[in-house]
Amino acid sequence: MELHDENSFKIRNYQLALNNIDRNDISVSDKSVEQLQADAGMGKSIAEYVFSLATTGMHPYLEELLAKTPSGILEILEIKGLGPKKVKALWEDLNITSTHELLEACQSGQVAKAKGFGEKTQESILASLQFREANQGKWLYADIEGIMADFGTKIKALSGVNGVVTVGEFARKAEIIERVEWLVATEDHADTVVMLSSLDNLDYDKKSSSPFKWTGKMTEPEINLIIHFARPSNFVEEKIVRTGTKSHLLYPIEGEKTMIEVLRENTPIASESVFFEKAGLPWIPEELREGYLEFDLAKAGKIPQLLEDKDLKGILHNHSTYSDGKHTLRQMAEYCKELGYEYLGISDHSRTAFYAGGLEIEKVQKQHLEIDQLNKELAPFRIFKGIESDILTDGSLDYPKEVLASFDFIVSSIHSNLGMDRKKATARLLNAIMNPYTTILGHPTGRLLLRREGYPIDHKAIIDACAIHNVVIEINANPWRLDLDWRWVNYAMDKGVKLSINPDAHEMEGYADMKYGVIAGRKGGLTKDMTFNAMSADEIGKYFQDRKSKIK
């Protein structure tokens, strides 16, 4: 609507209707136009539009708008930093109607010369386009986990298949997946290939395949696939070979002998645990087989101490309808309790985050009164008073000291001015870490996997400062973030810095993301004793109290 200069009042009404449906968790399915008007408080014309979308997925007005919008323009709208006004200007002034044309215009300097753009905007667009191109065809592990589980069930059902497992980066639960690899145990490879190729939703690439490998892709959604074949007698051996990275397989475990050499000497193998035992090692979970630190952990006897989902006692860093969350504080708390956790840390956005309904001081006081009341009702379950305080450009937090002192804990995070260089971005975070009210450093790099790169920081300097100032670092469990990156977890633990697994949940269903934070922590060697929210409600409550008492 904005692209085509529709009436601004009309646009605002549509936006308000959407916000109302989203914020109040209003279901639109199986409802008449009259019910939508009553339940969502919207006018008849918008209710008719919503009804049409809910029942058919389309509406004549939307069809009309799409018919006069080049498909490439919709792709350009997805690029970070480009809103409808700028996209409209590119379309009308430079006749750009695709991401390819936009890339060429940036490279030739045309965009910088256009009114309202300039060199910095052009550089930002170019970086976003290049980042997008580099990640084309890749998926978040979390987004395809369920799809692959269903696909695995289909393969198992094929005649003559004796075993099916994922291998490669998917088996290692990598945060970003370029292709999903499978290993299938079968005596008749050729017959299995024929049956696989007959499955719906698969595109077989015969040219890239071989008698021992099916190559192709799932078509909806489009996911690259490789399916390896092995006889049942060497299935376990092939699973170990195809799951670990080269660094993992080439690690010396018996004098001069590498993992792969020891593996080949001990065939056939009855089970993975038997092989690892013969190699003098405890079983190493698939997600650790990166060739990074798994053998050090194994030799130190730390693998049994790695964090598990059941170790987490509470959930910190969550949002409610007080800021930009979908569910009320009561709903977030009751569902957290229902899931078996001992406590919830509520940390809505602070006042600088006006775009996310950040809390003014009066709203903070109101929320604290509600928390006190809910704590009486829900005891022994506890809600801790937190805030996700925006780190300002100079590294300061955005409330006066007396307000900061009213919280049990503070998650300090950056959400704006993400274009700083490494030196300035690091200095900004260091200032926030030195603030005595900072309890947890939230999503340290601000990255959004496959969407935008994180801002550049000196990880060692940041972690060292957290160690000095007793600041916990978050592993943001949202699959788009997984930030702190797992590759820095071990360094943080070595420095004595605890990690907190937080879902950054904006709705009750967001709590389910905790498992992805646990996966990231485990990949980095995170143990229960170094996990902040593996502490009980009483322990963490005392920690908050003791820490605050030391602030002068």
Side-chain angles (χ1 to χ4, degrees), residues 125-144:
I125 294 169
L126 188 56
S128 295
L129 286 167
Q130 289 169 338
F131 183 76
R132 188 173 182 270
E133 192 174 330
N135 288 290
Q136 205 74 5
K138 297 178 183 178
W139 290 87
L140 297 183
Y141 172 82
D143 281 352
I144 59 173

Side-chain angles (χ1 to χ4, degrees), residues 474-539:
E474 171 180 82
I475 298 178
N476 192 297
N478 183 311
W480 287 106
R481 291 191 183 274
L482 298 178
D483 183 19
L484 182 75
D485 188 284
W486 64 265
R487 294 159 187 84
W488 287 102
V489 167
N490 195 248
Y491 182 79
M493 291 196 301
D494 284 347
K495 292 295 179 178
V497 176
K498 286 201 170 190
L499 288 302
S500 181
I501 308 287
N502 294 327
D504 199 353
H506 286 66
E507 58 184 335
M508 295 186 296
E509 291 77 11
Y511 295 152
D513 287 343
M514 289 290 277
K515 73 172 185 176
Y516 302 112
V518 172
I519 290 169
R522 285 173 63 85
K523 286 181 75 66
L526 182 59
T527 55
K528 177 183 174 181
D529 65 302
M530 288 303 291
T531 304
F532 186 58
N533 49 322
M535 295 167 71
S536 69
D538 288 340
E539 289 169 334

Side-chain angles (χ1 to χ4, degrees), residues 391 395 397 412 426-441 461-473 547:
I391 299 173
L397 305 184
S412 299
T426 300
R428 182 184 185 184
L429 282 180
L430 290 175
N431 282 339
I433 291 163
M434 288 187 280
N435 189 309
Y437 290 101
T438 293
T439 320
I440 300 171
L441 178 63
I462 296 301
I463 292 168
D464 292 348
C466 286
I468 293 167
H469 297 281
N470 194 26
V471 169
V472 175
I473 299 178
R547 198 176 190 286

Side-chain angles (χ1 to χ4, degrees), residues 371-401:
I371 289 171
D372 291 338
Q373 181 58 41
L374 285 169
N375 275 335
K376 289 176 187 175
E377 288 182 40
L378 302 176
F381 182 85
R382 290 179 68 179
I383 304 170
F384 290 105
K385 300 168 183 173
I387 197 79
E388 185 179 17
S389 183
D390 262 33
I391 299 173
L392 304 180
T393 304
D394 63 357
S396 60
L397 305 184
D398 63 343
Y399 286 117
K401 287 182 181 178

